[in-house]
Amino acid sequence: MIDDNHDGSTSPLAVGSIAELHAVASRRTFLRLVGIGGALALLPSFVAACDSDETTAPSDGFAGSGEPLIIDFAQGDVAILQFALVLEQIEADFYDRVVTAFGTSNITAAEQAVLTDIRNHEIAHREFLRGTLGAEGAFVVTPTFRGVSLTDRAAVLGAARALEGIGIAAYNGAVQYLTTPANVLSLAKIASVEARHAATIIDLLEPRAAAFSPSSTDDAFRPAKVAATVQANLVDRLGFSNAPATFTQGPNGNG
C-alpha cells in the first residue's frame, strides 16, 4: 500500500541551475510519497483479482475507429469505477510511452525522474481499479496519441497537462454518483494525487508562476463531457447506457 502523506515543502523553481535541479529532484521525492492509499470497497459479484496481463501493445490507431465500449450506469458504483479505469489506462499508457522514449527525447534527466514517478502512480491507479473490478468488470482499452511527439518536452508536458486536467474534472464530477462511502474515499484519494500531478506538470511548464493553481476550485465535468474529450485519445468508441439524467454543477458551473 502506498502512503499518501507528504510535507508539501517543495518550492517551485525553474529547471537549469543546480538549485533548480534540486527543486525538480524534490518534486520527485514529493511525488514518490503520494499514492492512493486505502482500498476500494469490493462490489457484489466482482472478484478482487488483479488482471494486469496485456496481450497486445497499444497502437496509434485512429480515435474512435475501434469497437464500441459501453459503460452501463445502471450498475451503479461499478460503472463509475469502469469509467475511472478508462481514464487511468489512458494516462498510464501515455506516461509509459513517454518513459520508453526517454532515450531519444529532449526531456532533462531531472524531469525524466519526475515523469517516471507519475507513470508509476498511474499504473498503480490502473491496477488498483482492475483488481477491485475483477475479471468480470475490468477491461483493456486501446489508447492513441496520434500527432503527439513523445520525444519532445513541450509536446509531452502539454499533453500531460491536458490529461491530468480532464482526469481531475472527471473524478470531481463522477463522485456524486457513488453510493458506497469507501469508494468515495478511495476515488477522492486518487483525484488528490492527480491534482498533485497536474500542479507539478504545470510548474515544469510555467515555473514560479500562479498557473500551478489558477483557481481556488477545480472543474467538475459530467461523464458525457469527459467522454467527448478523452475520445480523442481512445481507439475504442466510448459510450454510455442509462447515463445519469441529472448532474450537480461544481462551483465553476462549467460541467
Side-chain angles (χ1 to χ4, degrees):
M1 186 178 298
I2 303 173
D3 185 5
D4 66 347
N5 293 325
H6 63 93
D7 60 14
S9 59
T10 303
S11 298
L13 292 172
V15 178
S17 68
I18 292 179
E20 291 165 344
L21 287 174
H22 173 74
V24 176
S26 297
R27 291 190 194 95
R28 184 192 180 198
T29 301
F30 169 71
L31 285 168
R32 290 178 67 181
L33 292 175
V34 301
I36 48 181
L40 288 170
L42 297 182
L43 299 165
S45 79
F46 282 83
V47 183
C50 182
D51 178 20
S52 60
D53 293 336
E54 303 272 352
T55 57
T56 59
S59 62
D60 281 320
F62 289 97
S65 64
E67 295 298 317
L69 172 62
I70 307 300
I71 294 177
D72 184 5
F73 279 82
Q75 297 184 88
D77 279 23
V78 171
I80 303 303
L81 300 184
Q82 290 178 328
F83 182 47
L85 179 59
V86 172
L87 303 174
E88 296 301 337
Q89 287 188 72
I90 293 173
E91 290 182 318
D93 183 77
F94 171 74
Y95 287 110
D96 197 45
R97 294 191 194 200
V98 169
V99 170
T100 300
F102 278 163
T104 57
S105 75
N106 62 358
I107 300 172
T108 70
E111 291 170 334
Q112 288 181 15
V114 171
L115 292 171
T116 298
D117 286 332
I118 293 177
R119 185 275 307 268
N120 294 342
H121 289 171
E122 302 298 1
I123 289 176
H125 295 169
R126 181 192 70 193
E127 297 308 313
F128 193 63
L129 291 165
R130 281 181 176 171
T132 300
L133 288 166
E136 293 182 60
F139 45 75
V140 175
V141 302
T142 303
T144 182
F145 305 99
R146 297 180 69 89
V148 178
S149 173
L150 299 176
T151 60
D152 180 73
R153 177 185 183 274
V156 165
L157 294 181
R161 181 177 187 171
L163 287 174
E164 297 293 350
I166 192 65
I168 295 164
Y171 279 115
N172 288 344
V175 70
Q176 64 189 269
Y177 302 119
L178 290 171
T179 59
T180 305
N183 290 335
V184 174
L185 176 62
S186 293
L187 290 196
K189 288 182 177 182
I190 294 177
S192 69
V193 173
E194 300 290 356
R196 293 175 187 137
H197 291 171
T200 299
I201 294 295
I202 294 172
D203 188 49
L204 293 177
L205 280 167
E206 302 180 53
R208 307 178 74 172
F212 83 98
S213 183
S215 173
S216 61
T217 56
D218 283 322
D219 289 330
F221 291 168
R222 67 187 72 221
K225 183 171 182 175
V226 175
T229 301
V230 302
Q231 184 62 74
N233 297 118
L234 196 62
V235 172
D236 313 79
R237 286 181 284 139
L238 181 60
F240 302 140
S241 62
N242 299 301
T246 61
F247 177 75
T248 301
Q249 290 284 350
N252 295 340
N254 60 350

